[in-house]
């Protein structure tokens, strides 16, 4: 029961990076289980800021083995830039392992991502343009390239000869975009192969060994439950499974070993990209929270949409993932508000609804119902235990726990490692 799943309960950017970094302190292994370099984490250690797209947040703990799991898609170019940046900041990369089963983003994937978005017109999704969706589509079509292919360049070349004409056909004929040659891609990926070779492995024995020994293994999710391909606000979702099931499949670990499932939630809600967001705030309050919470994307710099905490979303995420611990982040962003609202239910065409539904046109027209709580109007940034929090803030946490149906075990009151209230049983 040594495996801990740490996943996003909302639309991503809940602050999983900071929480995983904290959890990693007592972990022997961190596995990034899904998603690609569409994700972005910011971790602040001793006033230094580290940004990650692909590498597990546990990398800042030198003794922790960090695995990029089979469920991930990665752009080798982006990964190499990230490795260089981390190395120049003094991070130790000895313990990094990249699964040979992880898929690669190929040079045509970001181009196709952009072209598909353009073709959707008003119905565009607001993707990160990193090629993540097209790479996962190719994985399912069984024409994807895996990291392990970098160690079999003849095989990679043979596959390119078959796959590239399909891609060039779409690029050239459908989108009138420039096409690619086998030679150029092969040269580029041969170079990546030589630089990434030392990290590429079959992590199966390593992971099974860790689980068998009872080591603490953290599964680091990317994005969030409402962006899950099956469970989220389809089609306004990412192309992987940020939910608990996806974490296990993306790491290659069975559910029997899971001891705790931590859902990370922001004390309010944000979303980047398009799609339904029932509690979205427009106007000055939304702008205030965006500025105070620095709600701009780590990967794309886009301003995030901002809204109240949605307890229906939280309850849904608790249910579909089996969350038994909530980590609530950015509580301090609410410090100055006089009144704080929580969405407790919805109305759709006069009918009450208690969870986000599958039908996108219904979801778009949900009317949220709110409960109002008084704010605390004091800084929480120095709080290190629950007793340090103003009574109104504790009332807010209690209400979140009650409505979501899970304990709130971690509370983050600022970006620093120390700005965290941790549970006694961790
Ligand atoms: P894609 O994953 O780039 O295909 O984008 C699909 C949707 O997921 C868009 O709304 C993106 O903004 C959103 N998305 C992808 N990755 C993240 C993330 O790490 N945080 C928040 N939103 C994300
Ligand atoms: Mg992020």
């Amino acid at each position: 029961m040594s495996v801990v799943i740490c996943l996003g309960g909302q639309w991503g950017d809940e602050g999983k990076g900071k929480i995983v970094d904290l959890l990693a302190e007592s972990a022997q292994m961190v596995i990034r289980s899904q998603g690609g370099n569409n994700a972005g984490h910011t971790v602040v250690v001793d006033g230094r800021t580290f940004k990650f797209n692909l590498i597990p947040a546990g990398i800042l703990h030198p003794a922790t083995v960090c695995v990029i799991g089979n469920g991930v898609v990665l752009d080798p170019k982006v990964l190499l830039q990230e490795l260089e940046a981390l190395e120049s900041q003094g991070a130790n990369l000895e313990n990094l392992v990249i699964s040979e089963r992880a898929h690669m983003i190929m040079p045509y994937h970001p181009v196709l991502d952009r072209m598909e978005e353009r073709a959707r017109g008003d119905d565009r999704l607001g993707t990160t343009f990193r090629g993540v969706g097209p790479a996962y589509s190719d994985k399912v079509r069984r024409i994807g390239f895996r990291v392990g292919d970098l160690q079999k360049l003849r095989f990679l070349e043979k596959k390119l000869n078959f796959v590239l004409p399909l891609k060039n056909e779409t690029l050239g004929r459908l989108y009138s975009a420039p096409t690619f040659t086998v030679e150029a891609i092969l040269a580029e990926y041969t170079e990546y192969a030589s630089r990434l070779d030392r990290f590429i492995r079959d992590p199966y024995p390593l992971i099974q060994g860790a689980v068998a020994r009872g080591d603490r293994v953290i599964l680091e999710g990317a994005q969030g439950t409402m962006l899950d391909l099956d469970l989220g606000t389809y089609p306004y979702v990412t192309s992987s499974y940020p939910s608990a099931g996806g974490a296990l499949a993306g790491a290659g670990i069975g559910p029997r070993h899971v001891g705790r499932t931590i859902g990370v939630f922001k004390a309010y809600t944000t979303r980047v990209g398009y799609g339904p967001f029932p509690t979205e705030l427009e106007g000055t309050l939304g702008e205030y929270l965006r500025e105070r919470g620095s709600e701009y994307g780590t990967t794309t710099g886009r301003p995030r949409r901002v809204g109240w905490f949605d307890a229906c979303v939280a309850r849904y995420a608790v249910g579909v993932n089996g969350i038994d611990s909530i980590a609530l982040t950015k509580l301090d962003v609410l410090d100055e508000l006089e009144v704080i609202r929580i969405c407790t239910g919805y109305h759709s065409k006069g009918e009450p609804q208690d969870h986000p539904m599958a039908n996108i046109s219904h979801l778009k027209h949900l009317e949220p119902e709110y409960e109002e709580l008084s704010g605390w109007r004091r800084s929480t940034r120095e709080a290190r235990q629950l007793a340090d929090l103003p009574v109104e803030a504790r009332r807010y946490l209690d209400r979140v726990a009650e409505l979501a149906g899970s304990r709130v075990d971690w509370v983050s009151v600022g970006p620093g490692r120390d700005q965290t209230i941790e549970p006694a049983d961790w």
Side-chain angles (χ1 to χ4, degrees):
M1 302 289 276
S2 59
V3 175
V4 175
I5 300 177
C6 185
L7 54 81
Q10 296 159 319
W11 278 276
D13 306 312
E14 298 92 350
K16 294 177 292 295
K18 168 176 165 169
I19 300 297
V20 170
D21 171 62
L22 280 177
L23 300 176
E25 194 168 22
S26 62
Q28 283 73 47
M29 184 180 278
V30 178
I31 309 174
R32 169 77 192 271
S33 42
Q34 44 68 230
N37 44 288
N38 47 354
H41 287 330
T42 308
V43 179
V44 181
V45 181
D46 301 330
R48 291 168 73 204
T49 301
F50 294 84
K51 289 188 189 294
F52 302 103
N53 293 120
L54 285 161
I55 298 181
I59 199 79
L60 300 178
H61 299 274
T64 309
V65 177
C66 288
V67 180
I68 297 183
N70 58 270
V72 170
V73 296
L74 62 87
D75 189 329
K77 195 194 302 174
V78 176
L79 177 65
L80 282 162
Q81 284 163 2
E82 198 173 334
L83 289 171
E84 267 171 24
L86 273 170
E87 242 167 358
S88 73
Q89 286 182 288
N92 173 19
L93 301 177
E94 288 307 306
N95 285 324
L96 178 69
V97 174
I98 306 173
S99 168
E100 55 187 7
R101 292 172 192 265
H103 276 248
M104 288 191 287
I105 292 175
M106 302 299 284
Y108 41 80
H109 287 137
V111 183
L112 289 167
D113 199 347
R114 205 169 275 276
M115 296 294 157
E116 281 176 27
E117 277 283 87
R118 190 181 298 167
R120 282 176 190 267
D122 286 348
D123 293 324
R124 67 194 183 280
L125 310 176
T127 75
T128 59
F129 292 145
R130 295 298 185 270
V132 167
Y136 275 117
S137 312
D138 281 358
K139 168 177 169 174
V140 175
R141 260 179 98 184
R142 291 161 296 183
I143 55 169
F145 288 83
R146 305 202 291 181
V147 169
D149 298 348
L150 293 177
Q151 295 177 323
K152 293 173 288 223
L153 290 168
R154 298 279 289 277
F155 172 74
L156 190 143
E157 181 177 11
K158 184 163 174 244
K159 193 154 64 173
L160 265 178
N161 278 317
F162 156 59
V163 173
L164 200 56
L166 300 174
K167 299 296 162 188
N168 280 340
E169 168 100 3
T170 312
L171 286 168
R173 288 233 233 164
L174 192 60
Y175 296 129
S176 309
T179 55
F180 292 86
T181 66
V182 170
E183 294 68 34
I185 295 182
L186 192 62
E188 186 182 339
Y189 280 65
T190 302
E191 152 86 7
Y192 300 150
S194 68
R195 295 174 65 194
L196 290 174
D197 186 64
R198 65 177 171 129
F199 301 111
I200 304 171
R201 274 216 259 165
D202 177 2
Y204 164 76
L206 218 58
I207 294 174
Q208 291 304 315
V211 170
R213 277 193 303 276
D215 284 359
R216 187 170 270 173
V217 177
I218 313 283
L219 304 191
E220 173 182 346
Q223 291 88 38
T225 304
M226 299 311 291
L227 289 171
D228 186 278
L229 186 54
D230 275 357
L231 299 165
T233 48
Y234 188 88
Y236 299 93
V237 292
T238 192
S239 298
S240 66
Y241 302 97
S243 50
L248 293 173
I253 294 179
R256 182 159 71 85
H257 303 292
V258 178
R260 196 161 186 161
T261 302
I262 303 172
V264 187
F265 293 83
K266 223 174 258 187
Y268 47 101
T269 311
T270 62
R271 162 165 215 172
V272 268
Y274 301 102
F277 180 177
T279 62
E280 182 164 15
L281 280 167
E282 275 149 17
T284 51
L285 190 52
E287 272 160 39
Y288 168 80
L289 288 173
R290 183 177 305 118
E291 290 312 313
R292 186 165 162 96
S294 311
E295 297 296 352
Y296 294 88
T298 318
T299 306
T300 58
R302 289 182 288 178
R304 295 180 184 140
R305 298 157 66 193
V306 178
W308 293 117
F309 187 84
D310 186 336
C312 296
V313 162
R315 196 158 54 229
Y316 178 76
V318 165
V320 299
N321 295 302
I323 290 168
D324 47 14
S325 264
I326 288 177
L328 199 74
T329 62
K330 291 193 153 181
L331 185 71
D332 58 301
V333 173
L334 306 181
D335 279 353
E336 289 175 359
L337 299 181
E338 225 160 298
V339 171
I340 298 172
R341 298 172 113 193
I342 301 185
C343 168
T344 55
Y346 311 120
H347 265 86
S348 167
K349 299 181 178 159
E351 294 287 317
Q353 294 289 341
D354 69 353
H355 70 276
M357 311 103 93
N359 188 314
I360 203 75
S361 63
H362 291 178
L363 249 178
K364 272 183 188 158
H365 298 109
L366 286 180
E367 294 277 344
E369 280 168 9
Y370 291 108
E371 184 175 295
E372 289 196 346
L373 283 85
S374 3
W376 41 93
R377 314 201 66 192
R378 265 170 56 192
S379 173
T380 56
R381 286 182 176 154
E382 306 305 321
R384 298 296 176 264
Q385 44 193 354
L386 287 176
D388 298 338
L389 289 174
V391 62
E392 295 85 353
R394 270 180 289 161
R395 211 170 282 143
Y396 186 68
L397 299 182
D398 289 344
R399 196 65 185 127
V400 165
E402 190 175 10
L403 289 167
S406 161
R407 295 182 341 212
V408 175
D409 282 333
W410 278 263
V411 182
S412 171
V413 293
R417 266 183 184 165
D418 61 318
Q419 291 178 295
T420 318
I421 299 171
E422 293 186 86
D425 67 340
W426 177 253

